[in-house]
Amino acid sequence: MSNLYRAIAKSMGSKYLAYAMQFAALMILARAFTPEVFGTIAAIQVFYLFFQLVGEGGFGPAIIGLHKLNAKDRDGIFGLTILIGVGLAATFVALGSLLVDFYKMPDLPVAIPFVAAGLMLNAWAILPMAQLQRQQSFLQLATAAIIAELVALALVLLARKYVSPLCAISIRIPTVALVNFTFAYHFSRRTDFGRPRPGMHFSAVAPLLKVSGYQLAFNVLNFFSRNLDNVLVGKYLGAPLLGIYDRSYQLMRYPLQLLTFAMTPAIQPALRGHANSPGLVLKIHQDLTFKLSLLGLACALGIYVLAAPIILVAFGEQWLPAVPVIKLLSLTIPVQVVLSTSGSFFQTFQRTDLLFRCGLFSAATNVTAIIIGISLGSLEHLCWALLVSFHINFFQAYYLLHKHILDGGFRQFLHRMIPAGIGVGALATWHALH
């Protein structure tokens, strides 16, 4: 258990530096651009993230789980990701007109070349980034993220003086991708597998497909169910409301980043040596999730009570309409904080097939919730529907995890979640009555 917490401490310490820089950049950009501009870039970014997910192909966790990788296979995988990147960029450009027709946003084509470049560079970074995560080189990854944000922020603010706001803010996407790739590729020479070179041995990915195939399928389902809200809000409620919803959701995600997204990269590498000891992992899991649930509840309470001051400080007065949205979204923090770690435990035991089953169920519940929320015509209804769906998915995922991997313990796990559950229930009741 101590090894896991040491790895988590390294991951969280380095990630916090990157998150602080990202939040500072967000505060500056929120004052420099209107909700409508943010809404337009959020509309296209949904598809950017989807293409990026498809390009990654689930290879990251599969590579992290490898015990050895010879130079020929390494270079073959890297060569394939280069071709994937070029193909993704070309496909995204070709589909640009369809996005314009779907959203009815005439300015959207301005951002498409920048998004395509970002897709290509992110695909190239798949292997070196996975190598650094496997080595638990979190400081190098955080350094890259910080420098990427600084460079991107400077370029966006400079470009704003000479080009349209949408064009200026679009520059951020390929800039961040380029800096991250450059750093990951440079530092990969210090990893066990060494710095990759472009190769032609593409069949080297075959051993990864058993794990990566289910991982990719889960990622696609999870992405679809988590981002359909942005697509439908943009199409049916418009860019300004999408800007408010997207910024509110991103603000809510910062506690998730601080509490779980910063630590999940460390869980699989730290526990991969205990894949034959489910009893030990069960103890680690229950200790970790209990602590996370209480931390998540504290964050939810803080954001709910201080929503208006947080919005004013973070984004400025023009974003005050987001206060009711961020209050409701804060109620999802405890369940999401815990649920966000579940994937790493499925991956530790190479059970991405079960992870895929969770994804199927979650996709069905989230999509249903999103459709109901959007059909009711307000962001508040959407947030209530998502709050319910996240809790349904929580019970399903942890039931499967305990039944098939962790040798039981589901009742004990639920008992430990009671304090956080009571807290969320009390906040939800207060909000509904007021």
Side-chain angles (χ1 to χ4, degrees):
M1 188 177 296
S2 60
N3 289 336
L4 173 64
Y5 283 115
R6 279 197 297 269
I8 286 176
K10 287 173 59 180
S11 177
M12 294 180 70
S14 57
K15 285 280 189 179
Y16 284 176
L17 297 174
Y19 291 156
M21 184 61 237
Q22 290 170 1
F23 188 70
L26 176 62
M27 292 174 65
I28 295 171
L29 293 176
R31 287 165 169 79
F33 298 94
T34 65
E36 185 173 3
V37 172
F38 270 102
T40 304
I41 201 67
I44 196 171
Q45 195 160 12
V46 172
F47 292 92
Y48 164 69
L49 294 173
F50 176 74
F51 272 70
Q52 182 181 336
L53 188 68
V54 172
E56 197 272 341
F59 290 144
I63 292 168
I64 292 171
L66 292 176
H67 294 288
K68 60 181 180 179
L69 183 68
N70 62 49
K72 183 180 178 182
D73 289 346
R74 176 202 66 199
D75 294 346
I77 294 171
F78 185 58
L80 182 60
T81 61
I82 291 176
L83 292 181
I84 289 173
V86 174
L88 287 174
T91 303
F92 197 85
V93 171
L95 295 176
S97 60
L98 295 179
L99 295 180
V100 176
D101 292 339
F102 177 78
Y103 280 118
K104 308 300 181 185
M105 297 178 183
D107 295 335
L108 208 57
V110 171
I112 288 175
F114 298 101
V115 173
L119 285 171
M120 181 176 65
L121 292 165
N122 277 318
W124 295 0
I126 292 170
L127 178 59
M129 291 284 280
Q131 290 178 242
L132 292 177
Q133 290 175 357
R134 182 182 180 277
Q135 299 287 131
Q136 301 180 36
S137 301
F138 303 120
L139 181 60
Q140 288 88 342
L141 291 169
T143 300
I146 292 169
I147 294 176
E149 287 294 338
L150 284 171
V151 173
L153 178 62
L155 288 178
V156 168
L157 294 178
L158 178 63
R160 183 169 168 264
K161 299 179 180 179
Y162 304 102
V163 298
S164 70
L166 182 58
C167 182
I169 201 170
S170 298
I171 292 173
R172 180 183 176 277
I173 293 175
T175 302
V176 170
L178 176 60
V179 175
N180 280 325
F181 166 69
T182 302
F183 269 74
Y185 188 74
H186 172 75
F187 287 118
S188 65
R189 66 186 177 87
R190 303 178 184 177
T191 65
D192 290 342
F193 299 155
R195 180 182 293 165
R197 302 286 190 274
M200 300 293 290
H201 186 51
F202 301 151
S203 61
V205 302
L208 306 178
L209 295 179
K210 181 179 179 181
V211 173
S212 67
Y214 280 114
Q215 182 70 49
L216 174 60
F218 167 77
N219 288 346
V220 169
L221 283 170
N222 187 56
F223 176 88
F224 177 72
S225 65
R226 290 296 187 97
N227 289 276
L228 181 64
D229 50 355
N230 272 21
V231 174
L232 295 183
V233 170
K235 182 170 177 61
Y236 293 107
L237 302 183
L241 283 181
L242 175 56
I244 289 173
Y245 178 73
D246 182 67
R247 289 303 92 186
S248 299
Y249 203 97
Q250 291 301 317
L251 188 59
M252 180 273 296
R253 280 170 61 89
Y254 274 100
L256 300 182
Q257 290 177 325
L258 295 176
L259 296 177
T260 55
F261 296 171
M263 69 172 62
T264 49
I267 294 176
Q268 185 190 1
L271 292 181
R272 60 193 174 104
H274 301 295
N276 295 321
S277 305
L280 173 62
V281 176
L282 173 63
K283 293 179 180 179
I284 295 172
H285 172 266
Q286 295 204 344
D287 181 68
L288 176 64
T289 51
F290 174 67
K291 293 174 180 176
L292 286 175
S293 70
L294 297 182
L295 288 171
L297 177 61
C299 288
L301 179 61
I303 291 178
Y304 186 91
V305 173
L306 301 173
I310 289 172
I311 290 289
L312 283 172
V313 172
F315 299 153
E317 190 173 348
Q318 65 175 332
W319 294 88
L320 279 176
V323 169
V325 179
I326 192 63
K327 280 189 170 184
L328 277 173
L329 288 176
S330 70
L331 303 183
T332 69
I333 291 175
V335 69
Q336 289 203 74
V337 161
V338 178
L339 188 57
S340 295
T341 65
S342 62
S344 296
F345 288 92
F346 285 112
Q347 292 163 353
T348 295
F349 289 86
Q350 301 286 289
R351 291 305 306 270
T352 50
D353 57 326
L354 289 176
L355 192 59
F356 174 65
R357 287 172 58 183
C358 290
L360 281 174
F361 184 89
S362 298
T365 54
N366 283 348
V367 168
T368 301
I370 291 166
I371 291 174
I372 292 173
I374 295 293
S375 66
L376 293 174
S378 75
L379 295 180
E380 287 82 2
H381 285 113
L382 173 60
C383 294
W384 277 114
L386 288 174
L387 176 63
V388 173
S389 69
F390 284 141
H391 281 84
I392 294 173
N393 295 337
F394 171 84
F395 282 99
Q396 182 262 352
Y398 281 104
Y399 173 76
L400 283 181
L401 182 66
H402 286 87
K403 179 180 180 181
H404 295 285
I405 293 178
L406 297 181
D407 289 343
F410 183 56
R411 289 185 179 179
Q412 184 180 1
F413 167 77
L414 291 181
H415 180 77
R416 286 171 167 260
M417 297 296 108
I418 288 176
I422 292 174
V424 170
L427 282 174
T429 302
W430 171 268
H431 191 91
L433 295 176
H434 292 80

